[in-house]
Amino acid sequence: MNQIEYTNENIKFLKDIFRKYYFENKYFPYLYSIEKREFGYRKFDSLVVRHLSFKNIGELVVELVRNVPLDVYYSNAYYGFPSNPINEKQWEGADLIFDIDIKDLNIPCFHEHTYYICNLCGFVNSEQKLCVNCNKGKTYDISIPCKRCFTAIKKEAAKLLEFLRSDLGIEEKFIEVFFSGNAGFHFHVNDPGMRNLDSNSRSSVTDYIIGNGFMCESIGVRKYRNGFMIKLPKSGIMNGWRKKIASSFGINQKSELKLKHLVEASGGYDGFRNEINRITKKFGVHIDSQVTNDIHRVFRLPGSINGKSGLTKTKCDDLESFNPNNDACMLDDSEVYINLKTKLKINLKNNNFKLDNVLEKVPSYVAVYLVCKGLATISKNQ
Amino acid sequence: MSIKLGSSELAKYPFLQEASDYIQETKFDFAEFDRPEMIHIINRAVEKLENELKGKIYSNLDEYEIEIMTFLVSLLLIKSIGLEEVSKKCSLFEAMRVERFLSTDLSVERSSQKKKLLVQKIFQDLFDINIDVDSTSSICKLSVPDYLLRASKMYEQEWKLINRSVKDGYVYLDTDEAVRLIRNELSNLIYTRVKNMKVYEVPILIKSKADELRKKYSGRYVYRNQFKILEYPPCIKHAMEIINKGENLPHSARFMLATYMLAIGKTEEEVIEIFKNSPDYNEKITRYQVEHLAGKKGSHIKYSVPSCDRLRSEDLCFAVKECENLINPIQFGRRKLT
Ligand code: SF4
Ligand SMILES: [Zn+2]
Ligand SMILES: [Zn+2]
């Protein structure tokens, strides 16, 4: 979907800026094995082009500067023939990619900076219902994530990183963390050992990270007749999820009796299972499993502009100090007049903007952000 | 000092290179199978196959010379019988037989060098899995991807990574589990051996036994032409595929499949027929279970098809777009009719 209001001024303004960006930033240092990837892009009219391939970065940049797409994607998969139809591409493996997004975290402040835009007249409503302006359109929501949102998502990202390093044992050099350019992070794992995993195997990994499907039996609690019995697994309970759960209960390989009491206290097998579900929820990470399990997907290209915000998908070397609204904001600051659809506050490139009037003069990077979000349009009179 | 596999290992693992070497060294010739003293071996091979076809593991273990020969004759028999289902089933049960020996060997063998050698010969040389056995605890350690690529073929929840002992990129398994992990590969190995075997002249004695067995078992395993599948829901399609391949279905999936088929109006006979292809098929038990589900036996309750929710939680759901808003698989495809 595309939130940009399709006016000549908007499209011309964005295209000029995007083109300039791709012309000046033609490096894409995190794009490996380009000749084996499938590329695709979304045009400003929302049309999606897929099954493209490029021999080298130069070819790619020429295409970007010539056609100026709104969003640019490339496959996590490596193909023998990337531009063939899907069944004839010859899959040779795929990076393992994880996606976490602010909207999946249920952060309480989220609705404070969410706007409900009418799909017919473009009016900004304050609630999600029938548009109060035209009485016909339905609303879709867009959000301007705040500091608290970013703090929360960074915490989630740190959890994910820990799973990848400690549990899955993936070496640092194979993990690249990117800010998606809008409201999330993408983790690209290009460990050759993981590349060949099929979709089922990947789903076993995502369930592991989310904390889906832990069985009481894995920690030694089994159904028995009408009750339960304890039999610890031979491979022990002091690694992986078994350990996370054992530690939360304060038990170890020798605590059979304590475990028995714990199960009794929680009301037997079923009660104990509920306890476990609470723990897995707490330690699990909110990743989008469908994204990871798909071995033929296309992902936003690192270094490309996110058409939902005008921010760049940016490598993030230190989660703690990373500031998305500054570090990923790479566009021009020449000024331009915009028409705002609502009053709002926003911080970009470490500047605070308090926009209260219908007509405002703002730096281009602010204009791009708001036009991409569908909250403003470029003014006819400059 | 180099440590070698002994004769008892050759007896248990007659598919190893060492066993073939043995046959080479003795300059054994197929024609010798027509000699009367070989009749004992041929009978033994027949007995083993019949056990396997009945769904039993043949656990007798003899001297290695006999075992290696029996193995060879079994392969010849399977090849000459020439029935796909027989090859599949025998390969699977042969694999399970190996699994039983190997699991015991790995947990009771006291020489850690011997243990390592066994692991190397089977896991590494045959299947290219790096695995390490702890000499005291016998716990096996293998990399996460090596584990996942195999475990993803198993449908039981316990094989999901989350239910495993995982640390620093390794999965820790007890010996039973480690050996179970390669069952499919073992059975494939034996299956392909049979498939690729080039036999120009089968010894007469073996050929006549094979003819007998073919007569006895053909038809029994031929799966009746499948029902016209207009549109089964993906969960059912998936289970059918597994069963048609002659692979094992977890209990929960069997329950789903049977209740579904009964619900859409298949007769009990037809439902039993579906299960004929499972490797551990036993007609009496299957019949009882199906009749039970249909409400004729036991509790006299007719069981209904599990909900999509429940199937999702049991990992049996493979939802597609058309599954949207379904509560139960029996709703699938119905809208098209109205
Ligand atoms: S949604 Fe329902 S019908 Fe569709 S696959 Fe899942 S369980 Fe089967
Ligand atoms: Zn409206
Ligand atoms: Zn917020």
Coordinates of all heavy atoms in Angstrom, one line a residue, chain A residues 165-170 193-194 196-198 200-205 207-208 210-216 218 233-242 280, chain B residues 107 137 139 144-153 155-170 172-177 238 315 318:
Chain A
R165 N 23.2 -15.0 19.2 CA 24.6 -15.3 19.6 C 24.7 -16.4 20.5 O 25.4 -17.4 20.2 CB 25.1 -14.0 20.3 CG 25.5 -12.9 19.4 CD 26.2 -11.8 20.2 NE 26.3 -10.6 19.6 CZ 26.1 -9.4 20.2 NH1 25.8 -9.3 21.5 NH2 26.2 -8.3 19.5
S166 N 23.9 -16.4 21.6 CA 24.2 -17.4 22.6 C 23.5 -18.7 22.3 O 24.2 -19.8 22.5 CB 23.7 -16.9 24.0 OG 24.3 -15.7 24.3
D167 N 22.3 -18.7 21.9 CA 21.6 -20.0 21.7 C 22.0 -20.6 20.4 O 22.5 -21.7 20.3 CB 20.1 -19.8 21.8 CG 19.6 -19.5 23.2 OD1 20.1 -18.5 23.7 OD2 18.8 -20.2 23.8
L168 N 21.8 -19.8 19.3 CA 22.1 -20.4 18.0 C 23.6 -20.3 17.7 O 24.0 -20.9 16.7 CB 21.3 -19.6 16.9 CG 19.8 -19.7 17.1 CD1 19.1 -19.0 16.0 CD2 19.3 -21.2 17.2
G169 N 24.4 -19.6 18.5 CA 25.8 -19.6 18.3 C 26.3 -19.0 17.0 O 27.3 -19.4 16.4
I170 N 25.5 -18.0 16.5 CA 25.9 -17.4 15.3 C 27.0 -16.3 15.5 O 26.9 -15.5 16.4 CB 24.7 -16.7 14.6 CG1 23.7 -17.8 14.2 CG2 25.1 -16.0 13.3 CD1 22.4 -17.4 13.8
G193 N 26.4 -21.6 7.1 CA 25.9 -22.8 7.7 C 24.4 -22.8 7.8 O 23.7 -23.8 7.9
M194 N 23.8 -21.6 7.8 CA 22.3 -21.5 8.0 C 21.6 -21.3 6.6 O 20.4 -21.3 6.5 CB 22.0 -20.2 8.8 CG 22.5 -20.3 10.2 SD 21.5 -21.3 11.2 CE 22.4 -21.3 12.8
N196 N 21.3 -23.0 4.0 CA 20.5 -24.0 3.3 C 19.3 -24.5 4.0 O 18.6 -25.4 3.6 CB 21.4 -25.2 3.1 CG 22.5 -24.9 2.0 OD1 22.2 -24.2 1.1 ND2 23.7 -25.4 2.3
L197 N 19.0 -23.9 5.2 CA 17.8 -24.3 5.9 C 16.6 -24.2 5.1 O 16.3 -23.1 4.5 CB 17.7 -23.5 7.2 CG 18.8 -23.7 8.2 CD1 18.5 -22.9 9.5 CD2 19.0 -25.2 8.6
D198 N 15.7 -25.2 5.1 CA 14.5 -25.1 4.4 C 13.5 -24.4 5.3 O 13.8 -24.0 6.4 CB 13.9 -26.5 4.1 CG 13.8 -27.4 5.3 OD1 13.9 -26.9 6.4 OD2 13.7 -28.6 5.1
N200 N 10.7 -25.3 6.8 CA 10.4 -26.0 8.1 C 11.4 -25.7 9.1 O 11.1 -25.5 10.3 CB 10.3 -27.5 7.8 CG 8.9 -27.9 7.6 OD1 7.9 -27.2 8.0 ND2 8.7 -29.0 7.0
S201 N 12.7 -25.8 8.8 CA 13.8 -25.7 9.7 C 13.7 -24.2 10.2 O 13.9 -24.0 11.4 CB 15.1 -25.9 9.1 OG 15.2 -27.2 8.5
R202 N 13.5 -23.3 9.3 CA 13.4 -21.9 9.8 C 12.3 -21.7 10.7 O 12.4 -20.9 11.6 CB 13.3 -21.0 8.5 CG 14.6 -20.9 7.8 CD 14.6 -20.1 6.5 NE 15.7 -20.6 5.6 CZ 16.6 -19.8 5.1 NH1 16.5 -18.5 5.3 NH2 17.6 -20.2 4.4
S203 N 11.2 -22.4 10.5 CA 10.1 -22.2 11.4 C 10.4 -22.8 12.8 O 9.9 -22.3 13.8 CB 8.8 -22.8 10.8 OG 8.3 -23.8 11.5
S204 N 11.2 -23.8 12.8 CA 11.6 -24.3 14.1 C 12.5 -23.2 14.8 O 12.4 -23.1 16.0 CB 12.4 -25.6 13.9 OG 12.6 -26.3 15.1
V205 N 13.3 -22.5 14.1 CA 14.1 -21.5 14.6 C 13.2 -20.3 15.1 O 13.4 -19.8 16.2 CB 15.1 -20.9 13.6 CG1 15.8 -19.7 14.1 CG2 16.2 -22.0 13.3
D207 N 10.1 -20.4 16.0 CA 9.3 -20.8 17.2 C 10.2 -20.8 18.4 O 9.8 -20.4 19.5 CB 8.8 -22.2 17.0 CG 7.5 -22.2 16.2 OD1 6.9 -21.1 16.1 OD2 7.1 -23.3 15.7
Y208 N 11.5 -21.1 18.2 CA 12.4 -21.1 19.3 C 12.6 -19.6 19.9 O 12.5 -19.4 21.0 CB 13.8 -21.6 18.8 CG 14.8 -21.8 20.0 CD1 14.9 -23.0 20.6 CD2 15.6 -20.7 20.4 CE1 15.9 -23.2 21.6 CE2 16.5 -20.9 21.4 CZ 16.6 -22.1 22.0 OH 17.5 -22.3 23.0
I210 N 10.5 -17.0 19.4 CA 9.3 -16.5 19.9 C 8.9 -17.1 21.2 O 8.4 -16.5 22.1 CB 8.1 -16.7 18.9 CG1 8.4 -15.9 17.6 CG2 6.8 -16.3 19.5 CD1 7.4 -16.3 16.5
G211 N 9.3 -18.4 21.4 CA 9.0 -19.1 22.6 C 7.7 -19.9 22.4 O 6.9 -20.1 23.3
N212 N 7.5 -20.4 21.1 CA 6.3 -21.2 20.8 C 6.5 -22.7 21.0 O 7.4 -23.2 20.5 CB 6.0 -21.0 19.3 CG 4.9 -20.0 19.0 OD1 4.2 -19.6 20.0 ND2 4.8 -19.6 17.8
G213 N 5.5 -23.3 21.7 CA 5.5 -24.7 21.7 C 6.4 -25.5 22.6 O 6.7 -26.6 22.4
F214 N 6.8 -24.8 23.7 CA 7.6 -25.6 24.7 C 6.7 -26.6 25.4 O 5.6 -26.3 25.9 CB 8.2 -24.6 25.7 CG 9.2 -25.3 26.6 CD1 10.5 -25.4 26.3 CD2 8.7 -25.8 27.9 CE1 11.4 -26.0 27.1 CE2 9.6 -26.4 28.7 CZ 11.0 -26.5 28.3
M215 N 7.2 -27.8 25.5 CA 6.4 -28.9 26.1 C 6.9 -29.1 27.6 O 8.1 -29.2 27.8 CB 6.5 -30.2 25.4 CG 6.1 -30.2 24.0 SD 6.8 -31.5 23.0 CE 5.9 -32.9 23.7
C216 N 6.0 -29.4 28.5 CA 6.3 -29.7 29.9 C 7.3 -30.8 29.9 O 8.2 -30.9 30.8 CB 5.1 -30.0 30.7 SG 3.8 -28.8 30.7
S218 N 9.7 -31.5 28.1 CA 11.1 -31.2 27.8 C 11.8 -30.8 29.1 O 13.0 -30.8 29.2 CB 11.2 -30.0 26.9 OG 10.5 -30.3 25.7
P233 N 14.8 -35.3 31.4 CA 15.4 -35.8 30.2 C 16.9 -36.1 30.4 O 17.6 -35.4 31.2 CB 15.2 -34.7 29.2 CG 15.0 -33.5 30.0 CD 14.4 -33.9 31.3
K234 N 17.4 -37.1 29.7 CA 18.8 -37.5 29.9 C 19.8 -36.4 29.4 O 20.9 -36.2 29.9 CB 19.1 -38.7 29.0 CG 18.6 -40.0 29.6 CD 19.3 -41.2 28.8 CE 18.4 -42.4 29.0 NZ 18.2 -43.1 27.7
S235 N 19.3 -35.6 28.4 CA 20.2 -34.6 27.9 C 20.1 -33.3 28.8 O 20.7 -32.3 28.4 CB 19.7 -34.2 26.5 OG 18.3 -34.1 26.4
G236 N 19.5 -33.4 29.9 CA 19.6 -32.4 30.9 C 18.6 -31.2 30.7 O 18.0 -31.1 29.7
I237 N 18.5 -30.4 31.7 CA 17.6 -29.3 31.6 C 18.4 -27.9 31.8 O 17.8 -26.9 32.1 CB 16.5 -29.3 32.7 CG1 17.0 -29.4 34.1 CG2 15.6 -30.5 32.4 CD1 16.0 -29.3 35.2
M238 N 19.7 -28.0 31.6 CA 20.4 -26.8 31.9 C 20.9 -26.0 30.7 O 21.9 -25.2 30.8 CB 21.6 -27.1 32.9 CG 21.1 -27.6 34.3 SD 19.7 -26.6 34.9 CE 20.5 -25.1 35.5
N239 N 20.3 -26.3 29.5 CA 20.6 -25.5 28.3 C 19.3 -25.0 27.7 O 18.3 -25.6 27.8 CB 21.3 -26.4 27.3 CG 22.8 -26.7 27.7 OD1 23.4 -25.8 28.3 ND2 23.2 -27.9 27.3
G240 N 19.5 -24.0 26.8 CA 18.4 -23.5 26.0 C 17.2 -23.1 26.8 O 17.3 -22.5 27.9
W241 N 16.0 -23.3 26.2 CA 14.8 -22.9 26.8 C 14.6 -23.7 28.1 O 14.0 -23.2 29.1 CB 13.6 -23.1 25.9 CG 13.3 -21.9 25.1 CD1 13.6 -21.7 23.8 CD2 12.6 -20.7 25.5 NE1 13.2 -20.5 23.4 CE2 12.5 -19.8 24.4 CE3 12.0 -20.3 26.7 CZ2 11.9 -18.6 24.5 CZ3 11.4 -19.1 26.8 CH2 11.4 -18.2 25.7
R242 N 15.0 -24.9 28.1 CA 14.9 -25.7 29.4 C 15.5 -24.9 30.5 O 15.0 -24.9 31.6 CB 15.6 -27.0 29.2 CG 15.0 -27.9 28.1 CD 15.8 -29.2 28.0 NE 15.3 -30.0 26.9 CZ 15.7 -31.2 26.6 NH1 16.7 -31.7 27.3 NH2 15.2 -31.9 25.6
T280 N 7.4 -18.4 28.8 CA 7.9 -18.3 27.4 C 7.5 -16.9 26.8 O 8.2 -16.4 26.0 CB 7.3 -19.4 26.6 OG1 5.9 -19.5 26.7 CG2 8.0 -20.7 27.0
Chain B
S107 N 25.3 -46.3 24.0 CA 25.1 -46.0 25.4 C 25.8 -47.0 26.3 O 26.2 -46.7 27.4 CB 23.6 -45.9 25.7 OG 22.9 -47.0 25.4
S137 N 28.9 -39.4 29.6 CA 27.5 -39.3 29.7 C 26.8 -39.9 28.4 O 25.6 -40.1 28.4 CB 27.1 -37.8 29.8 OG 27.4 -37.1 28.6
I139 N 26.2 -38.3 25.9 CA 25.3 -37.3 25.2 C 26.0 -36.9 23.9 O 27.2 -36.7 23.8 CB 25.2 -36.1 26.2 CG1 24.3 -36.5 27.4 CG2 24.5 -34.9 25.4 CD1 22.9 -36.9 27.1
V144 N 23.4 -26.9 15.2 CA 22.0 -26.5 15.0 C 21.5 -26.8 13.6 O 20.5 -27.5 13.4 CB 21.7 -25.1 15.4 CG1 20.4 -24.6 15.0 CG2 21.8 -24.9 16.9
P145 N 22.3 -26.3 12.5 CA 21.8 -26.6 11.2 C 21.7 -28.1 10.9 O 20.8 -28.6 10.2 CB 22.8 -25.9 10.3 CG 23.5 -24.9 11.1 CD 23.4 -25.4 12.5
D146 N 22.7 -28.9 11.3 CA 22.7 -30.3 11.0 C 21.5 -30.9 11.7 O 20.9 -31.8 11.2 CB 24.0 -31.0 11.6 CG 25.1 -31.1 10.6 OD1 24.8 -30.8 9.4 OD2 26.2 -31.4 11.0
Y147 N 21.2 -30.5 12.9 CA 20.0 -31.0 13.6 C 18.7 -30.6 12.9 O 17.9 -31.4 12.5 CB 20.0 -30.4 15.0 CG 18.7 -30.7 15.7 CD1 18.5 -32.0 16.3 CD2 17.6 -29.8 15.7 CE1 17.3 -32.3 16.9 CE2 16.4 -30.1 16.3 CZ 16.3 -31.4 16.9 OH 15.1 -31.7 17.5
L148 N 18.6 -29.3 12.5 CA 17.4 -28.8 12.0 C 17.0 -29.5 10.7 O 15.9 -29.8 10.4 CB 17.5 -27.3 11.7 CG 17.4 -26.4 13.0 CD1 17.7 -25.0 12.6 CD2 16.0 -26.5 13.6
L149 N 18.0 -29.6 9.8 CA 17.7 -30.2 8.5 C 17.1 -31.6 8.6 O 16.4 -32.0 7.7 CB 19.0 -30.2 7.6 CG 19.4 -28.8 7.1 CD1 20.7 -28.9 6.4 CD2 18.3 -28.4 6.0
R150 N 17.4 -32.3 9.7 CA 16.8 -33.6 9.8 C 15.5 -33.6 10.6 O 14.5 -34.2 10.3 CB 17.8 -34.5 10.5 CG 18.9 -34.9 9.4 CD 20.2 -35.2 10.0 NE 21.1 -35.4 8.8 CZ 22.0 -34.5 8.4 NH1 22.0 -33.3 9.1 NH2 22.7 -34.7 7.4
A151 N 15.6 -32.8 11.7 CA 14.4 -32.8 12.6 C 13.2 -32.1 11.9 O 12.1 -32.4 12.3 CB 14.8 -32.0 13.9
S152 N 13.5 -31.3 10.9 CA 12.3 -30.6 10.3 C 11.5 -31.6 9.5 O 10.4 -31.3 9.1 CB 12.8 -29.5 9.3 OG 13.5 -30.1 8.3
K153 N 12.0 -32.8 9.3 CA 11.2 -33.9 8.6 C 10.3 -34.6 9.6 O 9.6 -35.5 9.2 CB 12.1 -34.8 7.9 CG 13.2 -34.2 7.0 CD 12.8 -34.3 5.6 CE 13.8 -33.5 4.7 NZ 14.7 -32.5 5.2
Y155 N 7.4 -34.8 12.5 CA 6.3 -33.9 12.8 C 5.9 -33.8 14.3 O 5.1 -33.0 14.7 CB 5.1 -34.4 12.0 CG 5.3 -34.4 10.6 CD1 5.9 -35.4 9.9 CD2 5.2 -33.1 9.9 CE1 6.2 -35.3 8.5 CE2 5.5 -33.0 8.6 CZ 6.0 -34.1 7.9 OH 6.3 -34.0 6.5
E156 N 6.6 -34.6 15.1 CA 6.2 -34.5 16.5 C 6.9 -33.2 17.1 O 8.0 -32.9 16.8 CB 6.7 -35.7 17.3 CG 6.0 -37.0 17.0 CD 6.7 -37.7 15.8 OE1 7.7 -37.1 15.2 OE2 6.3 -38.8 15.5
Q157 N 6.1 -32.6 18.0 CA 6.4 -31.4 18.6 C 7.8 -31.5 19.4 O 8.5 -30.5 19.4 CB 5.3 -31.0 19.6 CG 5.5 -29.7 20.4 CD 5.2 -28.5 19.5 OE1 4.7 -28.7 18.4 NE2 5.5 -27.4 20.0
E158 N 8.1 -32.6 19.9 CA 9.3 -32.8 20.7 C 10.6 -32.5 19.9 O 11.6 -32.3 20.5 CB 9.4 -34.1 21.4 CG 9.3 -35.2 20.3 CD 9.3 -36.6 20.9 OE1 10.4 -37.1 21.4 OE2 8.2 -37.2 20.9
W159 N 10.5 -32.6 18.6 CA 11.6 -32.4 17.8 C 11.9 -30.9 17.4 O 12.9 -30.6 16.8 CB 11.6 -33.2 16.5 CG 11.7 -34.7 16.8 CD1 10.7 -35.6 16.9 CD2 12.9 -35.4 17.0 NE1 11.2 -36.8 17.3 CE2 12.6 -36.7 17.3 CE3 14.3 -35.1 17.0 CZ2 13.5 -37.7 17.6 CZ3 15.2 -36.0 17.3 CH2 14.8 -37.3 17.6
K160 N 10.9 -30.1 17.8 CA 11.1 -28.7 17.6 C 12.3 -28.2 18.4 O 12.5 -28.7 19.5 CB 9.9 -27.9 18.0 CG 8.7 -28.1 17.1 CD 8.6 -26.8 16.3 CE 7.6 -27.1 15.2 NZ 7.1 -25.8 14.6
L161 N 13.0 -27.3 17.8 CA 14.3 -26.8 18.5 C 14.0 -26.4 19.9 O 14.8 -26.6 20.8 CB 14.9 -25.7 17.7 CG 16.3 -25.3 18.0 CD1 17.2 -26.5 17.8 CD2 16.7 -24.1 17.1
I162 N 12.8 -25.8 20.2 CA 12.5 -25.2 21.5 C 12.5 -26.3 22.6 O 12.8 -26.0 23.7 CB 11.2 -24.4 21.5 CG1 11.1 -23.6 22.8 CG2 10.0 -25.3 21.2 CD1 9.9 -22.6 22.8
N163 N 12.2 -27.5 22.2 CA 12.2 -28.6 23.1 C 13.5 -29.3 23.3 O 13.5 -30.4 23.9 CB 11.0 -29.5 22.8 CG 9.7 -28.9 23.1 OD1 9.5 -28.4 24.2 ND2 8.9 -28.8 22.0
R164 N 14.5 -28.8 22.8 CA 15.8 -29.4 22.8 C 16.8 -28.7 23.7 O 16.6 -27.5 24.0 CB 16.4 -29.5 21.4 CG 15.7 -30.4 20.5 CD 15.9 -31.8 20.9 NE 14.7 -32.6 20.6 CZ 14.5 -33.8 21.2 NH1 15.4 -34.3 22.1 NH2 13.5 -34.5 20.9
S165 N 17.8 -29.4 24.1 CA 18.9 -28.8 24.8 C 19.8 -28.1 23.8 O 20.5 -28.7 23.1 CB 19.6 -29.9 25.6 OG 20.7 -29.4 26.3
V166 N 19.8 -26.7 23.8 CA 20.5 -26.0 22.8 C 21.5 -25.0 23.5 O 21.1 -24.3 24.5 CB 19.5 -25.1 22.0 CG1 20.3 -24.3 20.9 CG2 18.5 -25.9 21.4
K167 N 22.7 -25.0 23.0 CA 23.6 -24.0 23.6 C 24.8 -23.7 22.6 O 25.3 -24.6 22.0 CB 24.3 -24.5 24.9 CG 24.9 -23.5 25.7 CD 25.6 -24.0 26.9 CE 26.3 -22.9 27.6 NZ 27.4 -23.3 28.5
D168 N 25.1 -22.4 22.4 CA 26.2 -22.0 21.6 C 26.2 -22.6 20.2 O 27.3 -23.0 19.7 CB 27.5 -22.3 22.3 CG 27.7 -21.4 23.5 OD1 27.1 -20.4 23.6 OD2 28.5 -21.9 24.4
G169 N 25.1 -22.8 19.6 CA 25.0 -23.3 18.3 C 25.0 -24.8 18.2 O 25.1 -25.4 17.1
Y170 N 24.9 -25.5 19.3 CA 24.8 -27.0 19.3 C 23.6 -27.5 20.0 O 23.0 -26.9 20.8 CB 26.1 -27.5 20.0 CG 27.3 -27.3 19.3 CD1 28.1 -26.2 19.6 CD2 27.7 -28.2 18.2 CE1 29.3 -26.0 18.8 CE2 28.8 -27.9 17.5 CZ 29.6 -26.9 17.8 OH 30.7 -26.6 17.0
Y172 N 22.1 -30.9 22.0 CA 22.6 -32.0 22.7 C 21.4 -33.1 22.8 O 20.3 -32.8 23.2 CB 23.0 -31.6 24.1 CG 24.1 -30.6 24.1 CD1 24.0 -29.3 23.9 CD2 25.4 -31.1 24.3 CE1 25.1 -28.4 23.8 CE2 26.5 -30.3 24.3 CZ 26.3 -28.9 24.0 OH 27.4 -28.1 23.9
L173 N 21.8 -34.3 22.4 CA 20.8 -35.3 22.3 C 21.2 -36.6 23.1 O 22.5 -36.8 23.1 CB 20.5 -35.8 20.9 CG 20.0 -34.7 19.9 CD1 20.0 -35.3 18.5 CD2 18.6 -34.2 20.3
D174 N 20.3 -37.3 23.7 CA 20.8 -38.6 24.2 C 20.9 -39.6 23.0 O 20.5 -39.2 21.9 CB 19.8 -39.1 25.3 CG 18.5 -39.5 24.8 OD1 18.3 -40.0 23.7 OD2 17.5 -39.3 25.6
T175 N 21.5 -40.7 23.3 CA 21.8 -41.6 22.1 C 20.6 -42.1 21.3 O 20.6 -42.1 20.1 CB 22.6 -42.8 22.6 OG1 21.9 -43.4 23.7 CG2 24.0 -42.4 23.0
D176 N 19.5 -42.4 22.1 CA 18.3 -42.8 21.4 C 17.9 -41.7 20.4 O 17.5 -42.0 19.2 CB 17.1 -43.0 22.3 CG 17.4 -44.3 23.1 OD1 18.3 -45.0 22.8 OD2 16.6 -44.5 24.1
E177 N 17.9 -40.5 20.8 CA 17.4 -39.4 20.0 C 18.3 -39.2 18.8 O 17.9 -39.0 17.7 CB 17.3 -38.1 20.8 CG 16.3 -38.2 21.9 CD 16.4 -37.1 23.0 OE1 17.6 -36.5 23.1 OE2 15.5 -36.9 23.7
H238 N -1.8 -32.6 3.2 CA -0.4 -32.8 3.7 C -0.3 -34.2 4.3 O 0.6 -34.9 4.1 CB -0.1 -31.7 4.7 CG 1.3 -31.7 5.2 ND1 1.6 -32.3 6.4 CD2 2.5 -31.4 4.6 CE1 2.9 -32.2 6.5 NE2 3.5 -31.7 5.5
D315 N 0.5 -28.3 15.1 CA 1.4 -28.1 13.9 C 0.9 -28.9 12.7 O 1.7 -29.4 11.9 CB 2.8 -28.6 14.3 CG 3.6 -27.5 14.9 OD1 3.3 -26.3 14.6 OD2 4.5 -27.7 15.6
F318 N -1.6 -26.2 7.6 CA -0.8 -25.6 6.6 C -1.6 -24.6 5.8 O -1.7 -24.7 4.6 CB -0.2 -26.7 5.7 CG 0.7 -27.7 6.4 CD1 0.1 -28.7 7.1 CD2 2.0 -27.4 6.4 CE1 0.9 -29.6 7.8 CE2 2.8 -28.3 7.1 CZ 2.3 -29.3 7.8

